[in-house]
PDB file of all heavy atoms in Angstrom:
ATOM      1  N   VAL A 530     -14.443  16.737 -30.611  1.00 98.00           N
ATOM      2  CA  VAL A 530     -13.311  17.211 -31.399  1.00 98.00           C
ATOM      3  C   VAL A 530     -12.108  16.321 -31.126  1.00 98.00           C
ATOM      4  O   VAL A 530     -11.706  16.141 -29.966  1.00 98.00           O
ATOM      5  CB  VAL A 530     -12.975  18.683 -31.084  1.00 98.00           C
ATOM      6  CG1 VAL A 530     -11.798  19.145 -31.926  1.00 98.00           C
ATOM      7  CG2 VAL A 530     -14.196  19.567 -31.318  1.00 98.00           C
ATOM      8  N   LEU A 531     -11.535  15.771 -32.202  1.00 98.00           N
ATOM      9  CA  LEU A 531     -10.381  14.884 -32.104  1.00 98.00           C
ATOM     10  C   LEU A 531      -9.109  15.683 -32.361  1.00 98.00           C
ATOM     11  O   LEU A 531      -9.025  16.453 -33.331  1.00 98.00           O
ATOM     12  CB  LEU A 531     -10.502  13.759 -33.139  1.00 98.00           C
ATOM     13  CG  LEU A 531      -9.364  12.739 -33.205  1.00 98.00           C
ATOM     14  CD1 LEU A 531      -9.422  11.813 -32.000  1.00 98.00           C
ATOM     15  CD2 LEU A 531      -9.461  11.927 -34.502  1.00 98.00           C
ATOM     16  N   THR A 532      -8.087  15.504 -31.511  1.00 97.00           N
ATOM     17  CA  THR A 532      -6.800  16.185 -31.673  1.00 97.00           C
ATOM     18  C   THR A 532      -5.682  15.167 -31.712  1.00 97.00           C
ATOM     19  O   THR A 532      -5.579  14.304 -30.832  1.00 97.00           O
ATOM     20  CB  THR A 532      -6.544  17.174 -30.523  1.00 97.00           C
ATOM     21  OG1 THR A 532      -7.599  18.147 -30.490  1.00 97.00           O
ATOM     22  CG2 THR A 532      -5.213  17.885 -30.715  1.00 97.00           C
ATOM     23  N   ASP A 533      -4.834  15.272 -32.725  1.00 97.00           N
ATOM     24  CA  ASP A 533      -3.656  14.412 -32.844  1.00 97.00           C
ATOM     25  C   ASP A 533      -2.617  14.862 -31.824  1.00 97.00           C
ATOM     26  O   ASP A 533      -2.158  16.006 -31.860  1.00 97.00           O
ATOM     27  CB  ASP A 533      -3.093  14.510 -34.266  1.00 97.00           C
ATOM     28  CG  ASP A 533      -1.983  13.511 -34.543  1.00 97.00           C
ATOM     29  OD1 ASP A 533      -1.162  13.272 -33.643  1.00 97.00           O
ATOM     30  OD2 ASP A 533      -1.917  12.990 -35.669  1.00 97.00           O
ATOM     31  N   ALA A 534      -2.244  13.978 -30.915  1.00 96.00           N
ATOM     32  CA  ALA A 534      -1.309  14.356 -29.844  1.00 96.00           C
ATOM     33  C   ALA A 534       0.075  14.672 -30.377  1.00 96.00           C
ATOM     34  O   ALA A 534       0.820  15.433 -29.754  1.00 96.00           O
ATOM     35  CB  ALA A 534      -1.228  13.231 -28.810  1.00 96.00           C
ATOM     36  N   ALA A 535       0.441  14.107 -31.511  1.00 94.00           N
ATOM     37  CA  ALA A 535       1.778  14.329 -32.054  1.00 94.00           C
ATOM     38  C   ALA A 535       1.873  15.613 -32.862  1.00 94.00           C
ATOM     39  O   ALA A 535       2.865  16.341 -32.785  1.00 94.00           O
ATOM     40  CB  ALA A 535       2.185  13.138 -32.920  1.00 94.00           C
ATOM     41  N   THR A 536       0.839  15.923 -33.640  1.00 95.00           N
ATOM     42  CA  THR A 536       0.904  17.077 -34.546  1.00 95.00           C
ATOM     43  C   THR A 536       0.051  18.250 -34.094  1.00 95.00           C
ATOM     44  O   THR A 536       0.267  19.386 -34.533  1.00 95.00           O
ATOM     45  CB  THR A 536       0.454  16.669 -35.954  1.00 95.00           C
ATOM     46  OG1 THR A 536      -0.946  16.328 -35.925  1.00 95.00           O
ATOM     47  CG2 THR A 536       1.251  15.471 -36.446  1.00 95.00           C
ATOM     48  N   GLY A 537      -0.958  18.010 -33.269  1.00 95.00           N
ATOM     49  CA  GLY A 537      -1.869  19.068 -32.850  1.00 95.00           C
ATOM     50  C   GLY A 537      -3.017  19.295 -33.811  1.00 95.00           C
ATOM     51  O   GLY A 537      -3.881  20.152 -33.564  1.00 95.00           O
ATOM     52  N   ALA A 538      -3.063  18.553 -34.926  1.00 96.00           N
ATOM     53  CA  ALA A 538      -4.137  18.701 -35.901  1.00 96.00           C
ATOM     54  C   ALA A 538      -5.464  18.277 -35.286  1.00 96.00           C
ATOM     55  O   ALA A 538      -5.530  17.300 -34.533  1.00 96.00           O
ATOM     56  CB  ALA A 538      -3.843  17.869 -37.139  1.00 96.00           C
ATOM     57  N   THR A 539      -6.542  19.020 -35.612  1.00 97.00           N
ATOM     58  CA  THR A 539      -7.853  18.734 -35.048  1.00 97.00           C
ATOM     59  C   THR A 539      -8.876  18.518 -36.161  1.00 97.00           C
ATOM     60  O   THR A 539      -8.726  18.995 -37.283  1.00 97.00           O
ATOM     61  CB  THR A 539      -8.334  19.876 -34.147  1.00 97.00           C
ATOM     62  OG1 THR A 539      -8.495  21.065 -34.953  1.00 97.00           O
ATOM     63  CG2 THR A 539      -7.338  20.159 -33.030  1.00 97.00           C
ATOM     64  N   ARG A 540      -9.932  17.780 -35.817  1.00 97.00           N
ATOM     65  CA  ARG A 540     -11.079  17.608 -36.705  1.00 97.00           C
ATOM     66  C   ARG A 540     -12.278  17.190 -35.868  1.00 97.00           C
ATOM     67  O   ARG A 540     -12.126  16.645 -34.755  1.00 97.00           O
ATOM     68  CB  ARG A 540     -10.815  16.573 -37.789  1.00 97.00           C
ATOM     69  CG  ARG A 540     -10.568  15.149 -37.290  1.00 97.00           C
ATOM     70  CD  ARG A 540     -10.284  14.208 -38.450  1.00 97.00           C
ATOM     71  NE  ARG A 540      -9.945  12.864 -38.016  1.00 97.00           N
ATOM     72  CZ  ARG A 540     -10.828  11.891 -37.799  1.00 97.00           C
ATOM     73  NH1 ARG A 540     -12.144  12.132 -37.978  1.00 97.00           N
ATOM     74  NH2 ARG A 540     -10.431  10.695 -37.412  1.00 97.00           N
ATOM     75  N   VAL A 541     -13.445  17.460 -36.392  1.00 98.00           N
ATOM     76  CA  VAL A 541     -14.677  17.068 -35.712  1.00 98.00           C
ATOM     77  C   VAL A 541     -14.908  15.586 -35.947  1.00 98.00           C
ATOM     78  O   VAL A 541     -14.993  15.133 -37.090  1.00 98.00           O
ATOM     79  CB  VAL A 541     -15.884  17.883 -36.211  1.00 98.00           C
ATOM     80  CG1 VAL A 541     -17.179  17.351 -35.598  1.00 98.00           C
ATOM     81  CG2 VAL A 541     -15.706  19.354 -35.850  1.00 98.00           C
ATOM     82  N   LEU A 542     -15.027  14.848 -34.879  1.00 97.00           N
ATOM     83  CA  LEU A 542     -15.240  13.412 -34.969  1.00 97.00           C
ATOM     84  C   LEU A 542     -16.723  13.066 -34.975  1.00 97.00           C
ATOM     85  O   LEU A 542     -17.140  12.124 -35.638  1.00 97.00           O
ATOM     86  CB  LEU A 542     -14.552  12.713 -33.794  1.00 97.00           C
ATOM     87  CG  LEU A 542     -14.679  11.191 -33.717  1.00 97.00           C
ATOM     88  CD1 LEU A 542     -13.897  10.532 -34.859  1.00 97.00           C
ATOM     89  CD2 LEU A 542     -14.177  10.675 -32.375  1.00 97.00           C
ATOM     90  N   ALA A 543     -17.519  13.845 -34.235  1.00 97.00           N
ATOM     91  CA  ALA A 543     -18.943  13.539 -34.130  1.00 97.00           C
ATOM     92  C   ALA A 543     -19.738  14.815 -33.908  1.00 97.00           C
ATOM     93  O   ALA A 543     -19.279  15.752 -33.230  1.00 97.00           O
ATOM     94  CB  ALA A 543     -19.193  12.563 -32.991  1.00 97.00           C
ATOM     95  N   SER A 544     -20.936  14.864 -34.483  1.00 95.00           N
ATOM     96  CA  SER A 544     -21.869  15.976 -34.290  1.00 95.00           C
ATOM     97  C   SER A 544     -23.087  15.472 -33.527  1.00 95.00           C
ATOM     98  O   SER A 544     -23.252  14.274 -33.295  1.00 95.00           O
ATOM     99  CB  SER A 544     -22.292  16.557 -35.643  1.00 95.00           C
ATOM    100  OG  SER A 544     -21.172  17.007 -36.382  1.00 95.00           O
ATOM    101  N   GLU A 545     -23.939  16.428 -33.148  1.00 94.00           N
ATOM    102  CA  GLU A 545     -25.164  16.108 -32.423  1.00 94.00           C
ATOM    103  C   GLU A 545     -24.876  15.332 -31.130  1.00 94.00           C
ATOM    104  O   GLU A 545     -25.497  14.326 -30.824  1.00 94.00           O
ATOM    105  CB  GLU A 545     -26.143  15.325 -33.303  1.00 94.00           C
ATOM    106  CG  GLU A 545     -26.645  16.102 -34.500  1.00 94.00           C
ATOM    107  CD  GLU A 545     -27.724  15.356 -35.267  1.00 94.00           C
ATOM    108  OE1 GLU A 545     -27.738  14.103 -35.181  1.00 94.00           O
ATOM    109  OE2 GLU A 545     -28.536  15.998 -35.927  1.00 94.00           O
ATOM    110  N   VAL A 546     -23.874  15.825 -30.407  1.00 96.00           N
ATOM    111  CA  VAL A 546     -23.578  15.298 -29.073  1.00 96.00           C
ATOM    112  C   VAL A 546     -24.023  16.387 -28.099  1.00 96.00           C
ATOM    113  O   VAL A 546     -23.274  17.345 -27.842  1.00 96.00           O
ATOM    114  CB  VAL A 546     -22.086  14.976 -28.898  1.00 96.00           C
ATOM    115  CG1 VAL A 546     -21.835  14.327 -27.546  1.00 96.00           C
ATOM    116  CG2 VAL A 546     -21.586  14.095 -30.030  1.00 96.00           C
ATOM    117  N   PRO A 547     -25.229  16.325 -27.605  1.00 95.00           N
ATOM    118  CA  PRO A 547     -25.830  17.464 -26.905  1.00 95.00           C
ATOM    119  C   PRO A 547     -25.155  17.789 -25.575  1.00 95.00           C
ATOM    120  O   PRO A 547     -24.601  16.927 -24.901  1.00 95.00           O
ATOM    121  CB  PRO A 547     -27.274  17.018 -26.692  1.00 95.00           C
ATOM    122  CG  PRO A 547     -27.216  15.523 -26.677  1.00 95.00           C
ATOM    123  CD  PRO A 547     -26.137  15.163 -27.661  1.00 95.00           C
ATOM    124  N   ASP A 548     -25.225  19.058 -25.245  1.00 94.00           N
ATOM    125  CA  ASP A 548     -24.745  19.530 -23.951  1.00 94.00           C
ATOM    126  C   ASP A 548     -25.731  19.091 -22.883  1.00 94.00           C
ATOM    127  O   ASP A 548     -26.943  19.264 -23.023  1.00 94.00           O
ATOM    128  CB  ASP A 548     -24.631  21.053 -23.983  1.00 94.00           C
ATOM    129  CG  ASP A 548     -24.179  21.639 -22.657  1.00 94.00           C
ATOM    130  OD1 ASP A 548     -23.584  20.881 -21.860  1.00 94.00           O
ATOM    131  OD2 ASP A 548     -24.424  22.831 -22.420  1.00 94.00           O
ATOM    132  N   THR A 549     -25.230  18.519 -21.819  1.00 93.00           N
ATOM    133  CA  THR A 549     -26.096  18.025 -20.742  1.00 93.00           C
ATOM    134  C   THR A 549     -26.231  19.017 -19.606  1.00 93.00           C
ATOM    135  O   THR A 549     -26.958  18.767 -18.645  1.00 93.00           O
ATOM    136  CB  THR A 549     -25.541  16.711 -20.186  1.00 93.00           C
ATOM    137  OG1 THR A 549     -24.222  16.944 -19.663  1.00 93.00           O
ATOM    138  CG2 THR A 549     -25.491  15.639 -21.268  1.00 93.00           C
ATOM    139  N   GLY A 550     -25.522  20.141 -19.701  1.00 93.00           N
ATOM    140  CA  GLY A 550     -25.527  21.105 -18.616  1.00 93.00           C
ATOM    141  C   GLY A 550     -24.458  20.845 -17.579  1.00 93.00           C
ATOM    142  O   GLY A 550     -24.252  21.658 -16.664  1.00 93.00           O
ATOM    143  N   LEU A 551     -23.780  19.720 -17.712  1.00 94.00           N
ATOM    144  CA  LEU A 551     -22.683  19.397 -16.801  1.00 94.00           C
ATOM    145  C   LEU A 551     -21.390  19.984 -17.333  1.00 94.00           C
ATOM    146  O   LEU A 551     -21.185  20.083 -18.552  1.00 94.00           O
ATOM    147  CB  LEU A 551     -22.539  17.883 -16.654  1.00 94.00           C
ATOM    148  CG  LEU A 551     -23.748  17.117 -16.111  1.00 94.00           C
ATOM    149  CD1 LEU A 551     -23.499  15.615 -16.187  1.00 94.00           C
ATOM    150  CD2 LEU A 551     -24.039  17.550 -14.681  1.00 94.00           C
ATOM    151  N   ALA A 552     -20.507  20.361 -16.437  1.00 93.00           N
ATOM    152  CA  ALA A 552     -19.216  20.879 -16.881  1.00 93.00           C
ATOM    153  C   ALA A 552     -18.432  19.808 -17.624  1.00 93.00           C
ATOM    154  O   ALA A 552     -17.682  20.105 -18.564  1.00 93.00           O
ATOM    155  CB  ALA A 552     -18.423  21.392 -15.675  1.00 93.00           C
ATOM    156  N   ALA A 553     -18.607  18.553 -17.225  1.00 95.00           N
ATOM    157  CA  ALA A 553     -17.954  17.420 -17.893  1.00 95.00           C
ATOM    158  C   ALA A 553     -18.904  16.231 -17.873  1.00 95.00           C
ATOM    159  O   ALA A 553     -19.369  15.818 -16.807  1.00 95.00           O
ATOM    160  CB  ALA A 553     -16.644  17.062 -17.202  1.00 95.00           C
ATOM    161  N   ASP A 554     -19.225  15.726 -19.053  1.00 96.00           N
ATOM    162  CA  ASP A 554     -20.081  14.541 -19.120  1.00 96.00           C
ATOM    163  C   ASP A 554     -19.356  13.342 -19.737  1.00 96.00           C
ATOM    164  O   ASP A 554     -19.973  12.385 -20.185  1.00 96.00           O
ATOM    165  CB  ASP A 554     -21.370  14.838 -19.887  1.00 96.00           C
ATOM    166  CG  ASP A 554     -21.121  15.474 -21.243  1.00 96.00           C
ATOM    167  OD1 ASP A 554     -19.978  15.391 -21.738  1.00 96.00           O
ATOM    168  OD2 ASP A 554     -22.071  16.051 -21.803  1.00 96.00           O
ATOM    169  N   ARG A 555     -18.022  13.400 -19.786  1.00 97.00           N
ATOM    170  CA  ARG A 555     -17.218  12.263 -20.245  1.00 97.00           C
ATOM    171  C   ARG A 555     -17.447  11.069 -19.321  1.00 97.00           C
ATOM    172  O   ARG A 555     -17.732  11.237 -18.139  1.00 97.00           O
ATOM    173  CB  ARG A 555     -15.733  12.639 -20.261  1.00 97.00           C
ATOM    174  CG  ARG A 555     -15.215  13.090 -18.910  1.00 97.00           C
ATOM    175  CD  ARG A 555     -13.875  13.774 -19.009  1.00 97.00           C
ATOM    176  NE  ARG A 555     -13.448  14.262 -17.699  1.00 97.00           N
ATOM    177  CZ  ARG A 555     -12.377  15.012 -17.505  1.00 97.00           C
ATOM    178  NH1 ARG A 555     -11.610  15.358 -18.531  1.00 97.00           N
ATOM    179  NH2 ARG A 555     -12.063  15.422 -16.292  1.00 97.00           N
ATOM    180  N   ARG A 556     -17.305   9.879 -19.909  1.00 95.00           N
ATOM    181  CA  ARG A 556     -17.547   8.612 -19.200  1.00 95.00           C
ATOM    182  C   ARG A 556     -18.999   8.472 -18.726  1.00 95.00           C
ATOM    183  O   ARG A 556     -19.333   7.513 -18.039  1.00 95.00           O
ATOM    184  CB  ARG A 556     -16.584   8.443 -18.004  1.00 95.00           C
ATOM    185  CG  ARG A 556     -15.104   8.485 -18.375  1.00 95.00           C
ATOM    186  CD  ARG A 556     -14.223   8.096 -17.191  1.00 95.00           C
ATOM    187  NE  ARG A 556     -12.807   8.212 -17.496  1.00 95.00           N
ATOM    188  CZ  ARG A 556     -12.065   9.275 -17.227  1.00 95.00           C
ATOM    189  NH1 ARG A 556     -12.643  10.323 -16.606  1.00 95.00           N
ATOM    190  NH2 ARG A 556     -10.792   9.318 -17.535  1.00 95.00           N
ATOM    191  N   HIS A 557     -19.819   9.451 -19.060  1.00 95.00           N
ATOM    192  CA  HIS A 557     -21.246   9.394 -18.728  1.00 95.00           C
ATOM    193  C   HIS A 557     -22.075   9.414 -20.005  1.00 95.00           C
ATOM    194  O   HIS A 557     -22.946   8.551 -20.209  1.00 95.00           O
ATOM    195  CB  HIS A 557     -21.623  10.564 -17.819  1.00 95.00           C
ATOM    196  CG  HIS A 557     -23.099  10.728 -17.596  1.00 95.00           C
ATOM    197  ND1 HIS A 557     -23.884   9.723 -17.089  1.00 95.00           N
ATOM    198  CD2 HIS A 557     -23.930  11.789 -17.824  1.00 95.00           C
ATOM    199  CE1 HIS A 557     -25.143  10.147 -17.007  1.00 95.00           C
ATOM    200  NE2 HIS A 557     -25.192  11.397 -17.457  1.00 95.00           N
ATOM    201  N   ARG A 558     -21.804  10.371 -20.883  1.00 96.00           N
ATOM    202  CA  ARG A 558     -22.506  10.473 -22.155  1.00 96.00           C
ATOM    203  C   ARG A 558     -21.607  10.087 -23.338  1.00 96.00           C
ATOM    204  O   ARG A 558     -22.115   9.862 -24.434  1.00 96.00           O
ATOM    205  CB  ARG A 558     -23.017  11.911 -22.354  1.00 96.00           C
ATOM    206  CG  ARG A 558     -23.948  12.395 -21.278  1.00 96.00           C
ATOM    207  CD  ARG A 558     -25.248  11.635 -21.273  1.00 96.00           C
ATOM    208  NE  ARG A 558     -25.971  11.776 -22.543  1.00 96.00           N
ATOM    209  CZ  ARG A 558     -27.093  11.163 -22.843  1.00 96.00           C
ATOM    210  NH1 ARG A 558     -27.618  10.309 -21.965  1.00 96.00           N
ATOM    211  NH2 ARG A 558     -27.685  11.339 -24.003  1.00 96.00           N
TER     212      ARG A 558
END
Side-chain angles (χ1 to χ4, degrees):
V530 180
L531 179 73
T532 301
D533 188 321
T536 66
T539 63
R540 63 181 176 89
V541 174
L542 180 69
S544 302
E545 296 186 335
V546 185
D548 178 21
T549 60
L551 300 173
D554 52 17
R555 58 194 177 187
R556 302 189 184 95
H557 171 57
R558 301 294 300 176

